[in-house]
Amino acid sequence: MPTVLITGSSGLIGSESVHFFAQNGFNVVGIDNNMRAVFFGEPASTGWNRRILEDKYGDSYRHYDIDIRDRFAIENLFQEYSSDICLIIHTAAQPSHDWAAKDPHTDFTVNANGTLVLLEATRQYCPDATFIFTSTNKVYGDTPNYLPLEELETRWEIEPNHQYREGIDESMTIDNSKHSLFGASKVAADILVQEYGRYFGMRTVTFRGGCLTGPNHSGAQLHGFLAYLMKCTITGDIYTIFGYQGKQVRDNIHSYDLVNAFYHFYQNPRRGEVYNMGGSRHSNCSMLEAISICEDIVGKKLQYTYSKQNRSGDHIWYISDVRKFRFHYPTWEYKYNLRQILEEIYNAQTSRNTGYEEGVFLKLSRY
């Protein structure tokens, strides 16, 4: 059977990729050393998800506790599987622009150097494989904040006759803007992935994601917007809204819908391609609108505070235009809308815990 190698395999998109490809008859090799717990603390650990994958798929899933920056270990692993590898899905990352400012060296080496290690190992040992990279809308920096936006009752919105009315497409410049250090490290990785496609002729693609979300997200304050918001609504923990009156807008795509897009690309790959990928006009919300839906699902009010200081370089309004991808892969469709996404997150969080008491989750014994 063909082998898929997935980095960040215990995280949100990585684990969704494991489920998708293992259930479609692939052997899956997972790489994940649980750096998320290092970045965001033990509550953000993905160890529980790793155990689920290993228990569910047995010999079809082999897990490796490797740091993607470890060139020697990565190259040995690629050499072991060699041309059996038909697909690499690279989701491992330091994902927070706030955290990156605390430790720029770790952020850049994980996001940029780690990506280079994986690309070069692919070129040396399985050059015919497809390489899929999960990039970010932060490669555009704060350029979206200079679009003509209107303040409405619950959200910021772009002028209705603007060229980006359906969302921001791949033509937006990535230059002359504030990216955050996280955005800069992801730009470096993004360009590397493109260059290995264009220079070496490899089958590479970068998906510039909006808010990637779903039931397997280990949400934390610094990353995992909807998952962390739902957790705070359930537990009574105080949530902090940072700036823009809580009207900042994001598009949200379910992890399954993104991985399904990966699969469509794998079936008919291109070289050095770039796609904006998110919930588009199909699934988007402001912070205030997301809070309202969470409260309705949980049946209780969220306890939150408001900070006038927005996160540096954060977007006021970002919706992805996914029409380029849909033109190239017209059979791909969304499965989940925003309400369904939040209901799944709620069901997953409550099923992973026996209940809540004084705002603290009680972990199920199987985790």
Side-chain angles (χ1 to χ4, degrees), residues 105-213:
H105 288 285
T106 297
D107 172 77
F108 195 87
T109 55
V110 169
N111 290 346
N113 294 56
T115 300
L116 177 59
V117 168
L118 292 161
L119 284 166
E120 188 58 19
T122 301
R123 186 170 78 93
Q124 294 298 328
Y125 298 107
C126 51
D128 294 328
T130 298
F131 190 102
I132 295 174
F133 173 58
T134 48
S135 186
T136 171
N137 58 22
K138 297 300 187 295
V139 300
Y140 298 115
D142 63 356
T143 297
N145 291 352
Y146 296 96
L147 295 172
L149 300 175
E150 302 174 331
E151 185 177 0
L152 305 181
E153 183 178 356
T154 62
R155 62 161 51 201
W156 292 91
E157 190 54 86
I158 198 166
E159 290 182 353
N161 61 347
H162 196 272
Q163 72 175 92
Y164 291 147
R165 176 65 183 84
E166 292 303 313
I168 293 168
D169 65 26
E170 297 81 0
S171 68
M172 176 172 276
T173 179
I174 66 173
D175 296 322
N176 300 313
S177 62
K178 181 192 288 186
H179 291 83
S180 79
L181 295 178
F182 158 72
S185 65
K186 293 294 278 190
V187 164
D190 187 305
I191 297 298
L192 277 170
V193 173
Q194 293 182 55
E195 200 61 25
Y196 268 73
R198 296 176 186 275
Y199 192 92
F200 294 117
M202 292 167 57
R203 300 179 180 93
T204 68
V205 62
T206 177
F207 284 90
R208 293 173 174 170
C211 279
L212 314 181
T213 190

Side-chain angles (χ1 to χ4, degrees), residues 18-76:
V18 174
H19 289 300
F20 188 103
F21 285 92
Q23 292 171 14
N24 279 279
F26 292 78
N27 285 321
V28 180
V29 172
I31 300 174
D32 198 315
N33 62 339
N34 201 12
M35 282 289 285
R36 191 171 179 86
V38 176
F39 300 143
F40 308 126
E42 190 57 31
S45 170
T46 58
W48 63 270
N49 210 5
R50 169 184 171 173
R51 291 188 287 274
I52 289 175
L53 298 175
E54 290 176 321
D55 290 345
K56 184 168 185 176
Y57 297 113
D59 293 339
S60 295
Y61 175 70
R62 296 188 66 184
H63 189 97
Y64 293 85
D65 188 359
I66 296 175
D67 191 314
I68 60 171
R69 296 170 293 180
D70 187 339
R71 179 178 171 184
F72 179 78
I74 290 293
E75 290 184 351
N76 280 345

Side-chain angles (χ1 to χ4, degrees), residues 286-299:
S286 71
M287 179 70 71
L288 293 180
E289 291 163 353
I291 289 172
S292 178
I293 298 173
C294 285
E295 290 177 336
D296 184 57
I297 292 172
V298 177

Side-chain angles (χ1 to χ4, degrees), residues 197-266:
R198 296 176 186 275
Y199 192 92
F200 294 117
M202 292 167 57
R203 300 179 180 93
T204 68
V205 62
T206 177
F207 284 90
R208 293 173 174 170
C211 279
L212 314 181
T213 190
N216 290 331
H217 214 176
S218 295
Q221 184 182 45
L222 296 184
H223 187 255
F225 158 46
L226 290 183
Y228 183 67
L229 178 62
M230 180 61 78
K231 178 181 177 181
C232 289
T233 307
I234 294 170
T235 63
D237 291 348
I238 297 176
Y239 188 89
T240 302
I241 297 173
F242 293 97
Y244 305 130
Q245 295 80 51
K247 298 181 181 182
Q248 56 267 55
V249 171
R250 300 289 184 274
D251 64 338
N252 304 275
I253 185 170
H254 192 287
S255 51
Y256 173 86
D257 288 330
L258 178 62
V259 174
N260 191 28
F262 293 171
Y263 184 59
H264 278 71
F265 181 87
Y266 163 73

